[in-house]
Amino acid sequence: MRNLALAPVLGVLLLVAIGLVALLISRARATPDDVTWLAGTRDVTPDERTVYADHLTRHRTSRLWWGGVGLAVALAASLTLNDGTFTVGTNAIGPAGDILFCLVTGIAVGALLAENYRLRRPTGPASASLAPRTPLPAAGTRRAARAVAGVALALGLVDVLVAPGARPALLTVVVLVPWLLCELVLRAVRERPRPALSPRAERVDTRLRMFAAVTVSRLELAAAMSAALWLVDLDETWNLDDDVRAVVALVGFGLLIAAIVVLWHAAPRSRGRRPLLPQDAPQPLVDGRTA
Amino acid sequence: MIVTVDATSPVPVVEQLRAQVARHVADGTLRPGDSLPPIRHLAADLGIARGTVAKVYEQLARDGVVRTAGRHGTLVAGAGEGPTPPPAHPEVDLAADALAHVVRAAGLDDAAAHAALAAALGRNRG
């Protein structure tokens, strides 16, 4: 009987998912305005435009598909284990049923694969510049993410001490996986070989690196908040009085909202036509308007 | 401040890289206090092993060209910190280094190197 009731729901969900994926795929391709946003200037040669557009499309497509996989896992887990109830945030069945957690994890995997994509190194002599690399932007966001992840880890350890058992220990490890994935992406961004072909090629490489650093740092912050949300929620099981319990619930809700907002801004696209970096000058759009 | 290494050259990659960094220091492209890229970055950029770059930095430090500064990485040594006499013709010294390595790799003696150089100079006179 329950299976019969689920069938139309599943059908509708499938249609919505297909529509959503089709919509997002249509938005994965980079437009001239996207290239200007990524390059920080309209002074871009056709070859550079191709490099920027390919990189942006690769990131968008990879994050989209893997985010979709994460979403599918969360929906499937909710349907099968959580009586068809979907949750964003903590729930009874664990992180696999949390749309936010699975989405962040999937996007982080997508970003990792996109950032580890390597063109084949040409044979023959290899050149490198001895000039220092430009530091990655969004250092404040990364510091915040590491601080939140550190607090989450501390909460997890306290949870393990207060209520010893496999569940809090396992949960602490699992919910920090997306944050760890983001750290791996940022490491890949930092360690990626730098071309020494021309100053313009170096500039393109620097912009691609900055783009990945800004968007993945925000994703890392969202991942850390998602982890903290789960581990704060465990605290509600402690023997707390009602006032403290209310504060804990409020903190959890605040983390959930903040994580969703940060995740929205972690997308590899210009939100509200904001420049990628604060120092980028606003660029006129193709149709003549100013960003 | 570009360095280029060729794995197919008879001159070892370590020597190619060491000579070029030393040359950049000698001709003032790299100044005292300038930092060299971290070993892992330079190795990744050149597509060579980290150990190779580490060996280059060790040799340069031994020659007094660079010094290690803990967490600040590897810095170009200041004037008077080591024996780095500025060459009059850096490009000639680089080519001479390459010739010396080819001669040693081939097991030839100094006289053969001098003869080859004299012959090359003779062919390219004027």
Side-chain angles (χ1 to χ4, degrees):
Chain A
M1 196 65 189
R2 194 176 138 222
N3 288 340
L4 281 176
L6 274 179
V9 177
L10 275 174
V12 171
L13 274 176
L14 193 64
L15 283 176
V16 169
I18 289 171
L20 199 63
V21 167
L23 177 73
L24 291 174
I25 285 175
S26 69
R27 295 191 66 203
R29 193 144 293 283
T31 65
D33 285 339
D34 290 331
V35 171
T36 303
W37 170 72
L38 181 49
T41 175
R42 296 200 73 80
D43 176 24
V44 179
T45 65
D47 284 348
E48 290 171 357
R49 183 169 296 118
T50 305
V51 172
Y52 282 127
D54 284 354
H55 189 77
L56 194 54
T57 304
R58 186 180 310 119
H59 258 273
R60 283 181 178 172
T61 308
S62 185
R63 293 193 205 187
L64 169 71
W65 279 108
W66 282 96
V69 168
L71 196 59
V73 168
L75 294 182
S78 300
L79 278 174
T80 53
L81 302 173
N82 206 22
D83 296 329
T85 306
F86 304 111
T87 55
V88 180
T90 55
N91 57 63
I93 60 168
D98 173 9
I99 289 175
L100 175 67
F101 174 84
C102 291
L103 201 55
V104 170
T105 308
I107 294 171
V109 170
L112 186 62
L113 293 177
E115 201 49 49
N116 277 294
Y117 177 87
R118 293 280 180 273
L119 296 172
R120 187 177 294 175
R121 184 186 281 275
T123 53
S127 296
S129 170
L130 295 177
R133 295 191 181 202
T134 311
L136 294 182
T141 309
R142 283 193 298 284
R143 270 197 298 273
R146 284 168 191 161
V148 174
V151 170
L153 181 63
L155 280 173
L157 293 176
V158 172
D159 287 328
V160 172
L161 290 175
V162 170
R167 188 177 184 269
L170 191 65
L171 191 68
T172 304
V173 173
V174 169
V175 295
L176 282 167
V177 164
W179 171 78
L180 203 59
L181 284 171
C182 292
E183 281 287 324
L184 289 178
V185 182
L186 289 166
R187 184 161 178 251
V189 172
R190 230 177 267 122
E191 309 286 312
R192 181 155 55 81
R194 177 175 58 168
L197 302 171
S198 68
R200 284 195 75 109
E202 276 191 45
R203 180 184 152 76
V204 171
D205 177 69
T206 303
R207 290 296 301 189
L208 296 183
R209 232 179 266 274
M210 288 177 163
F211 151 75
V214 167
T215 56
V216 176
S217 297
R218 290 173 187 160
L219 185 64
E220 185 184 26
L221 183 56
M225 286 173 168
S226 164
L229 167 65
W230 271 93
L231 295 166
V232 160
D233 190 62
L234 272 190
D235 298 355
E236 288 191 355
T237 60
W238 302 354
N239 193 17
L240 301 172
D241 64 44
D242 287 346
D243 288 347
V244 179
R245 203 183 294 267
V247 170
V248 168
L250 202 61
V251 169
F253 184 70
L255 281 169
L256 175 64
I257 299 300
I260 292 170
V261 171
V262 174
L263 182 61
W264 173 259
H265 286 285
R269 58 182 73 247
S270 167
R271 292 290 188 211
R273 295 277 166 218
R274 267 194 276 185
L276 177 63
L277 300 174
Q279 64 265 33
D280 289 349
Q283 299 294 325
L285 302 180
V286 171
D287 62 6
R289 288 176 292 126
T290 304
Chain B
M1 281 196 291
I2 302 293
V3 288
T4 302
V5 295
D6 184 356
T8 61
S9 164
V11 181
V13 170
V14 170
E15 181 50 33
Q16 292 178 43
L17 191 54
R18 187 206 64 75
Q20 289 177 69
V21 176
R23 213 66 64 202
H24 280 306
V25 174
D27 66 18
T29 314
L30 282 169
R31 294 177 186 166
D34 283 353
S35 60
L36 294 182
I39 289 171
R40 63 183 191 283
H41 285 173
L42 191 53
D45 291 351
L46 290 171
I48 59 179
R50 291 182 184 185
T52 305
V53 180
K55 200 183 285 183
V56 169
Y57 281 12
E58 276 171 26
Q59 286 188 9
L60 289 168
R62 216 178 303 133
D63 295 344
V65 179
V66 301
R67 61 186 170 85
T68 50
R71 60 191 289 271
H72 297 292
T74 306
L75 306 179
V76 175
E81 283 186 54
T84 54
H89 300 288
E91 68 283 4
V92 174
D93 280 6
L94 191 62
D97 280 348
L99 174 62
H101 276 280
V102 172
V103 167
R104 293 284 175 261
L108 301 175
D109 58 11
D110 290 5
H114 289 302
L117 181 59
L121 288 171
R123 283 195 299 273
N124 291 280
R125 201 177 301 280

